[in-house]
Amino acid sequence: MKMKNERKKNDFFDRRLPCSRVQSETVTNSEKWLGYLIGPAGALLLNAVLATYLNVYYTDVLNLTPLWGGVFLTAFPIVSKIIDAVTNVVMGQVIDRTKTREGKARPWLLLSAFLVPVTGVLLFTVPESSDAVKAVWVMISYNLFYSFAYTIFNMSHNLMVPLSTRDGTARGGLSVFNQITTIMMSGILVALVFPMVIMPMIGVDKGKWITLMSFLSILALPLTLLEYFFTKERVTEEAAAEETKLSFMKQMKILFTDKYMILMYAYFLIYTVGTTLKNLGLVYYCNYVLGTYNDGVTQMLVSVIGGIPMGIGIFAVWPLAKKFGKRNVTMAGFILYAAGSLICWLFSHNLVIVLIGQFIKNIGGLPCAYVFMALFADCLDHLEWKKDLRMDGAAMSIYNIIAVAMVGIMTGVFNWMLAKAGYLAPITANSVTEAASKLAENGWTAQVAPAELKPAADGVLTVAMQQPDKVNWVIAFAFVGLEVFTGIALVAILFFLNVEKKLPEEQAEIKARHEKTAEGNEA
């Protein structure tokens, strides 16, 4: 009777969920292009912009660095990520217990299509009021976006590759398509258009920031809907009868007693620490260590020249991964990754050498960027073979906790280092005379003489300061130094991650189990 009532409840929800446009049992071209390449573009582009510029908005536009003696921008990201970690656990459990004809993750993807745009706008519409009001708004809007809306999107989106198919070749192809959007489209816009065109145009004008970010937030709505309609959870359909109802603690015990899952999480943790600090330091590094504030050239060169290998990787990585193995290619890549980072760190003020180092580093980062999710899916298949159950939501919740927690922790650490080193935010002035007066009053030195600055369309000058040597060291370490050490650590971890060795036999055994179960159910 209970099972019958549960089936009726699922049918009630199923009838209200729009159907996937993908019905094939094998991965289709429309699925690749619309579901995995174009569909995620809106939300991933918004997230890429936020990863690079949200902290800049807080430090340079809202000038929150000195708030409460530097404590606010240090503590609030870390506290927020504790909340985010909890919501990721909850969302993982919710996904594992969701059963519909449209899958267990895709229905939440549909909901996120509407939540992400609304909360994205709220991030930037901070009212002009007291410091206390600004702080409260920033904390609430930040958690509505990251701990609620983007958690729902990111959990469901990241599960699309593992749940789409067991076919290793098809899964690898989807993993590549899934990363092209982030690496190419988002990378080109964030790395080229933003520093060269948009940032010099909007400067520290709050109204222009709100307009721009509102547009990017709203763009996520139709594209995320496209991802929902052109994806399909074949693995969920296949394993529906064996879904687990284990408690969260039992699931965690299973996950953290499996060698490959532990290695995968350690690998992702170290990688995320390095890349998060690098992303946070990019704009500051190009504005103060290598170039001048919003000069429209330095950041573009660093990002685009360094990112050219990502375009090459679309065609090169997967054939190499199929021939030599995902683990082996990724491990070799991280050797180059560490070497390129070291070159940049040793010559952090030399533009030409930094560009060479960035090119080498990004060549090394290609395998990780394109095949990580396929490798993660292999670990999930191994765990299913070992324990005879799927725990996609629980496994992905730990993955997401690492991602969001490290963003919060490293943002707090980075802001704390900036504050302690004595970071000086840019100032605005309506004239050269006013700018000179503010500089003299505070004893600051401008990067570029105010008389040589080009005012914005409204006549306002944005004047950036020469940073103390300690600030420049912190920024250089964040952008190019830390990844020397994370690259070496990742090589060591990957040496033991040989999950691919027996995977074909394990997948065949899983398929045989499902066929036997299906025959038993029919009987």
Side-chain angles (χ1 to χ4, degrees), residues 193-307:
V193 179
F194 266 75
M196 197 171 182
V197 179
I198 294 177
M199 295 312 296
M201 185 184 300
I202 67 175
V204 291
D205 187 314
K206 183 180 176 183
K208 292 176 181 177
W209 276 82
I210 292 173
T211 301
L212 170 68
M213 299 310 299
S214 296
F215 170 75
L216 293 179
S217 298
I218 294 168
L219 181 64
L221 172 58
L223 292 177
T224 306
L225 290 176
L226 196 65
E227 180 177 5
Y228 171 80
F229 282 112
F230 286 92
T231 49
K232 181 179 176 66
E233 293 185 28
R234 296 176 183 84
V235 173
T236 303
E237 294 171 1
E238 166 195 312
E242 291 82 21
E243 294 294 341
T244 179
K245 290 186 179 180
L246 293 176
S247 70
F248 174 72
M249 293 308 297
K250 288 183 178 179
Q251 288 177 320
M252 291 302 101
K253 183 178 179 181
I254 291 172
L255 287 172
F256 285 101
T257 53
D258 181 79
K259 177 179 74 172
Y260 293 130
M261 293 306 300
I262 293 172
L263 289 170
M264 203 73 206
Y265 287 139
Y267 162 49
F268 184 59
L269 171 65
I270 293 171
Y271 178 75
T272 304
V273 166
T275 55
T276 299
L277 205 60
K278 175 198 67 179
N279 290 337
L280 288 164
L282 169 63
V283 177
Y284 300 88
Y285 178 77
C286 295
N287 281 345
Y288 298 110
V289 178
L290 206 57
T292 55
Y293 197 83
N294 285 346
D295 58 28
V297 177
T298 306
Q299 187 181 335
M300 178 272 293
L301 288 174
V302 169
S303 300
V304 174
I305 300 299

Side-chain angles (χ1 to χ4, degrees), residues 161-162 165-176 235 374 377-378 381 507:
V161 170
T165 178
R166 289 193 195 276
D167 185 308
T169 301
R171 179 187 282 171
L174 291 179
S175 181
V176 171
V235 173
D378 290 348
D381 279 0
Q507 288 177 329

Side-chain angles (χ1 to χ4, degrees), residues 8 41 46 63 100 133 172 199 211 246 249 258 280 290 330 376 501 503 523:
K8 285 183 178 179
L46 175 62
N63 194 24
T100 73
V133 171
M199 295 312 296
T211 301
L246 293 176
M249 293 308 297
D258 181 79
L280 288 164
L290 206 57
T330 304
F376 186 77
K501 188 176 181 180
L503 191 65

Side-chain angles (χ1 to χ4, degrees), residues 171-194:
R171 179 187 282 171
L174 291 179
S175 181
V176 171
F177 268 77
N178 206 35
Q179 290 303 312
I180 290 174
T181 299
T182 303
I183 294 169
M184 293 302 296
M185 195 192 85
S186 300
I188 289 172
L189 285 174
V190 175
L192 177 60
V193 179
F194 266 75

Side-chain angles (χ1 to χ4, degrees), residues 306-319:
I308 285 175
M310 293 301 176
I312 301 171
I314 297 174
F315 308 101
V317 169
W318 191 243

Side-chain angles (χ1 to χ4, degrees), residues 414-477:
F414 181 69
N415 286 330
W416 176 79
M417 291 193 298
L418 284 183
K420 290 299 179 182
Y423 176 73
L424 302 173
I427 61 171
T428 57
N430 293 314
S431 66
V432 172
T433 302
E434 182 184 346
S437 175
K438 288 184 177 181
L439 291 169
E441 180 182 345
N442 292 281
W444 295 333
T445 302
Q447 267 190 334
V448 178
E452 298 178 14
L453 293 172
K454 182 180 179 181
D458 55 6
V460 175
L461 290 169
T462 298
V463 185
M465 309 303 156
Q466 286 186 9
Q467 299 295 334
D469 290 341
K470 287 183 179 179
V471 172
N472 286 335
W473 186 91
V474 164
I475 292 169
F477 176 76

Side-chain angles (χ1 to χ4, degrees), residues 380-408:
L380 288 176
D381 279 0
H382 167 78
L383 190 64
E384 182 182 3
W385 167 81
K386 184 177 178 183
K387 298 295 182 179
D388 199 21
L389 51 84
R390 296 288 303 188
M391 296 191 301
D392 303 284
M396 189 55 67
S397 69
I398 303 303
Y399 168 92
N400 266 23
I401 286 171
I402 292 171
V404 300
M406 287 306 103
V407 168

